[in-house]
Amino acid sequence: MELVFATNNIHKLQEARLILGERVSLCSLQDIGCDIDIPETGDTLEQNSLQKANYIWEHYGLDCIADDTGLEVFALGGAPGVYSARYAGKEHDFIANRKKLFRELNGIDMRSAQFRTVITLIRGGIIKQVEGVVEGTITTEERGESGFGYDSMFVPKGETRSFGEMTADEKAAISHRKRALEALCKIL
């Protein structure tokens, strides 16, 4: 089965390909000649994921998946959430985003958080959504060089290492995106 993954994020594409393996052949936006940054103007992960998938379906007529992921910190009322990529500004600067999150959590002991991924599938015009969640805590300093985004500051429940200290395979085995992709596989 072939699907377009509506993302320009090479890290997400590689992670999804690793998780799905041979079950699904994922094409990138570049593979279909789509070189725009698809707008994400929704107020929820569900809305943004649907907006991106709808763009591919409406403009290219191709079966596709799109995701939106947010880091939800409970002490901050779920922030950064849907604004995770733009938490410190429109530039998608994850160094600035991590610094801002550390500032916001300065002096706060309750550091429980979760990564949540929502995936929208449009196949033959039929829309379905699934999600994957991994709970954990936010560290007090960055740990590890692997991964991207907030990985160096998030320790998943049951682990002592941050996602940033894990190999890609180790992270993929327990990640929120894996859980969402596994839910997706069940409905394919």
Side-chain angles (χ1 to χ4, degrees):
M1 172 183 314
E2 190 168 290
L3 295 171
V4 175
F5 190 1
T7 185
N8 285 313
N9 185 323
I10 191 68
H11 300 290
K12 283 185 183 183
L13 184 63
Q14 289 170 341
E15 190 174 22
R17 284 177 173 158
L18 181 68
I19 292 165
L20 291 174
E22 295 179 10
R23 294 177 274 195
V24 177
S25 174
L26 284 183
C27 297
S28 69
L29 291 177
Q30 184 179 12
D31 292 335
I32 64 167
C34 180
D35 61 357
I36 70 154
D37 197 14
I38 300 171
E40 297 177 61
T41 58
D43 293 324
T44 66
L45 300 175
E46 290 81 3
Q47 290 171 353
N48 281 346
S49 176
L50 179 59
Q51 185 176 17
K52 291 186 283 186
N54 270 334
Y55 184 91
I56 297 304
W57 179 254
E58 290 170 4
H59 289 85
Y60 295 89
L62 298 171
D63 292 344
C64 62
I65 61 170
D67 81 321
D68 201 21
T69 296
L71 174 65
E72 300 169 336
V73 180
F74 300 115
L76 302 178
V82 71
Y83 304 106
S84 293
R86 307 174 298 284
Y87 193 45
K90 294 179 183 177
E91 299 79 30
H92 295 251
D93 181 344
F94 276 106
I95 294 171
N97 290 343
R98 289 190 299 269
K99 286 180 181 178
K100 179 178 180 179
L101 185 56
F102 278 136
R103 281 193 310 273
E104 299 272 327
L105 288 173
N106 189 30
I108 297 176
D109 292 331
M110 206 279 263
R111 300 175 83 85
S112 298
Q114 67 182 18
F115 268 116
R116 189 165 68 93
T117 294
V118 174
I119 295 177
T120 300
L121 164 70
I122 301 181
R123 188 170 173 210
I126 297 170
I127 299 169
K128 298 198 181 212
Q129 285 189 319
V130 295
E131 77 169 16
V133 175
V134 63
E135 297 175 345
T137 57
I138 303 298
T139 61
T140 56
E141 60 187 19
E142 291 197 49
R143 296 177 17 201
E145 306 276 329
S146 297
F148 60 99
Y150 296 94
D151 286 353
S152 63
M153 62 190 313
F154 182 82
V155 176
K157 192 174 186 176
E159 270 288 335
T160 57
R161 298 172 299 156
S162 74
F163 274 158
E165 294 173 296
M166 296 179 185
T167 66
D169 289 341
E170 289 170 329
K171 177 188 170 189
I174 61 171
S175 79
H176 45 289
R177 193 164 291 106
K178 177 187 182 191
R179 292 174 182 181
L181 288 164
E182 285 176 338
L184 175 68
C185 285
K186 288 179 183 175
I187 64 171
L188 287 175

